[in-house]
Amino acid sequence: MTNLIIFGPPGSGKGTQAVKLSTSFGLVHLSTGDILRQAIANRTPLGEKAKAYIDKGELVPDEDVAQMVVNAVDRNTDAGGFIFDGFPRNVFQAEFLDRTLKERGTSIHYLIALEVPREELIKRLLKRAEIENRTDDNLQVIENRIKVYYDQTIPVIDHYKKQGKYYPVNGLGTIEEVNRRIGDIINKK
Ligand code: UDP
Ligand code: MG
């Protein structure tokens, strides 16, 4: 089994790269953001609750996302592995994920961290706002999402660095270029 976390600030290209990697390496793409947006569209109780957090750029409570992740992992027991996209978003969630995988006889193998400068992130997210109509892609919420990322999510890097699983990747360039950089890391091991 190969399990990886695709990591990086909002707008760094996690979703785009996760979709490509899931095809080339036969992994299940598990995007907690996509699951939450689906829950909002379906007007489920979780969706109604999550919407308030997402529209402010805050993190949805740990217990809600943790439950979603466990459900998704246990629904895919035959998977060759997972790409966790958008999760874990803080150290508590990282510890939770490690425990969950350990109980199932596996673990995280790579934290692939996409590195993109702040100005480029804002440029990309404002462009996405015009295309995808996401309610959280406006300047004020984008700035808060980036702040939450620096305050709460960045410490996840150290958590996996200590485990020897941290792989930074330059997130600038074409989709293909970035994809090749990530593929090289996974193929090497
Ligand atoms: N979110 C969250 N926990 C998750 C995934 C998403 O709290 O595990 C919320 C959070 O409010 C975030 C928003 O959903 O700002 C959008 O998340 P997504 O991962 O889609 O955005 P990205 O960071 O990739 O732009
Ligand atoms: Mg995303």
Side-chain angles (χ1 to χ4, degrees):
M1 225 178 169
T2 302
N3 298 306
L4 59 99
I5 298 167
I6 186 93
F7 189 88
S12 57
K14 300 185 293 287
T16 304
Q17 294 299 332
V19 168
K20 291 181 76 70
L21 294 167
S22 75
T23 313
S24 30
F25 292 96
L27 306 172
V28 172
H29 175 207
L30 205 165
S31 163
T32 44
D34 288 349
I35 298 172
L36 288 168
R37 278 184 287 279
Q38 194 58 55
I40 292 172
N42 295 338
R43 297 181 178 272
T44 69
L46 170 65
E48 300 287 319
K49 179 178 176 185
K51 186 170 171 28
Y53 294 91
I54 291 178
D55 286 349
K56 282 185 278 189
E58 298 292 330
L59 297 188
V60 174
D62 291 334
E63 59 270 26
D64 295 308
V65 279
Q67 191 58 56
M68 282 167 29
V69 169
V70 169
N71 291 345
V73 167
D74 287 343
R75 228 182 292 119
N76 290 284
T77 46
D78 54 349
F82 293 92
I83 301 175
F84 297 94
D85 166 9
F87 181 92
R89 267 181 146 84
N90 60 33
V91 171
F92 175 89
Q93 294 179 5
E95 288 168 348
F96 174 85
L97 180 62
D98 289 351
R99 263 198 319 278
T100 301
L101 293 178
K102 194 171 179 195
E103 285 164 9
R104 287 155 182 79
T106 186
S107 62
I108 290 294
H109 302 97
Y110 309 91
L111 178 125
I112 306 285
L114 297 173
E115 299 188 328
V116 176
R118 188 191 154 89
E119 308 71 56
E120 172 71 13
L121 297 174
I122 294 178
K123 215 172 79 190
R124 289 186 188 178
L125 290 166
L126 289 175
K127 193 166 143 203
R128 185 170 80 183
E130 293 169 19
I131 303 165
E132 288 184 22
N133 225 346
R134 270 178 55 163
T135 53
D136 59 344
D137 281 345
N138 64 72
L139 192 55
Q140 197 192 340
V141 177
I142 286 170
E143 281 181 337
N144 194 43
R145 283 159 59 201
I146 294 175
K147 179 178 186 307
V148 167
Y149 173 79
Y150 282 103
D151 292 349
Q152 300 185 49
T153 310
I154 284 270
V156 171
I157 289 181
D158 258 346
H159 176 86
Y160 287 103
K161 210 184 248 176
K162 284 185 211 144
Q163 300 183 18
K165 296 169 180 171
Y166 168 60
Y167 298 87
V169 170
N170 176 5
L172 288 176
T174 66
I175 291 172
E176 287 306 330
E177 280 165 351
V178 177
N179 191 249
R180 218 168 305 125
R181 289 174 198 144
I182 301 171
D184 284 347
I185 293 168
I186 299 172
N187 281 323
K188 225 185 280 159
K189 290 200 84 181

